[in-house]
Amino acid sequence: MRDEKKEEQEESYTIETTGLPEDRISHRELKLLEEMKEDPITKGFDDKTLLVFLVARNHSVSKALDRLKAYIKFNRENGYEGRTVKLSDLNPVLLKSMYAFSVPGTTSLNGNMISYLNPGSIRMKDFTVQEIFDHGLYFWQLSLSQEPLSSFRKGAIYVEDVSTTGLKNMDSSKMNKLKEIQSAFPIKVQAIYIIKTGAFMRFLMAFAKLFVKSKILKRTVALKTPEKIFEFIDPSNLHKDFGGALEFSYRQLPEDPQSKFRDY
């Protein structure tokens, strides 16, 4: 009698989608991918993108397809269908503020992708919904292009500084629109680490309940000291503005998110 567990281990990660070792998948995943591709809505999407949806929904084909439908709807309604958002499309003030960004190729100690949030660096009312969406879509397309499937398996952690954030930085109508992204994109949020709090921390958490899914809020942790973040991220992979040693500027971002990322 065959040892099915041993066979599964031997067969795992033997099928490649992009030629990268980090993008290998198991035979089981290949079968699920083929099942997923039977649905006509998957036409036009490459295997890696479909696998990102699949792993984000814990290998449930039906849930992955539901999320893909929401993604297609979001793109169609907001002008992103078939569009690559270029760096030059972004509002330069919003870009320079570094209020929300990620650095491809850097991960946590557990292999999670890392994203950064500093909402106190902007006033949302100064920007249109389209400008905020463009900013988010650029970094999404950058991650999808640059990050291996193995990173999407692990999901993302967010490092956030709210020490200078107050009511002046918020805009309820725009934040309500941002809720659409939570339901349309295949992003597994594993944790949100707040490294610096502020006087309005309680207010901000109460405010966030109106716009952020409860299961994500439950993964939000206010660290007792900023240095506690080093239990999750090596300083070399943490941006200097958040207490690490990583030097990174928006000037290092590629014009086309699908092109080669510059060394930093």
Side-chain angles (χ1 to χ4, degrees), residues 123-127 129 132-133 166-180 182 203 206-212:
R123 294 192 306 173
M124 293 189 79
K125 67 179 183 179
D126 293 340
F127 305 95
V129 170
I132 294 172
F133 276 173
L167 188 59
K168 68 182 186 301
N169 306 106
M170 302 291 104
D171 186 313
S172 58
S173 62
K174 291 186 177 70
M175 291 184 71
N176 198 50
K177 285 290 292 182
L178 288 173
K179 286 173 65 177
E180 295 179 19
Q182 295 178 55
F203 164 77
F207 191 69
K209 288 180 180 179
L210 301 174
F211 308 101
V212 181

Side-chain angles (χ1 to χ4, degrees), residues 189-231:
V189 179
Q190 300 292 40
I192 299 174
Y193 296 114
I194 300 178
I195 60 167
K196 292 182 182 179
T197 60
F200 295 96
M201 183 62 187
R202 286 188 178 182
F203 164 77
L204 292 173
M205 290 302 293
F207 191 69
K209 288 180 180 179
L210 301 174
F211 308 101
V212 181
K213 290 183 177 180
S214 60
K215 67 178 182 180
I216 294 178
L217 282 177
K218 290 177 181 177
R219 297 170 187 166
T220 301
V221 180
L223 301 179
K224 292 182 178 180
T225 64
E227 292 75 23
K228 292 287 286 183
I229 193 64
F230 298 141
E231 294 179 10

Side-chain angles (χ1 to χ4, degrees), residues 102-107 112-114 146-148 151 237 246 261 264:
S102 59
V103 183
T106 58
T107 60
N112 306 95
M113 295 180 287
I114 306 169
Q146 307 290 338
E147 300 288 4
S151 293
N237 274 338
L246 179 64
F261 186 68
Y264 51 85

Side-chain angles (χ1 to χ4, degrees), residues 41 49 60 95 105 115 181 235:
I41 70 162
T49 300
S60 168
L95 180 62
S115 291
I181 292 178

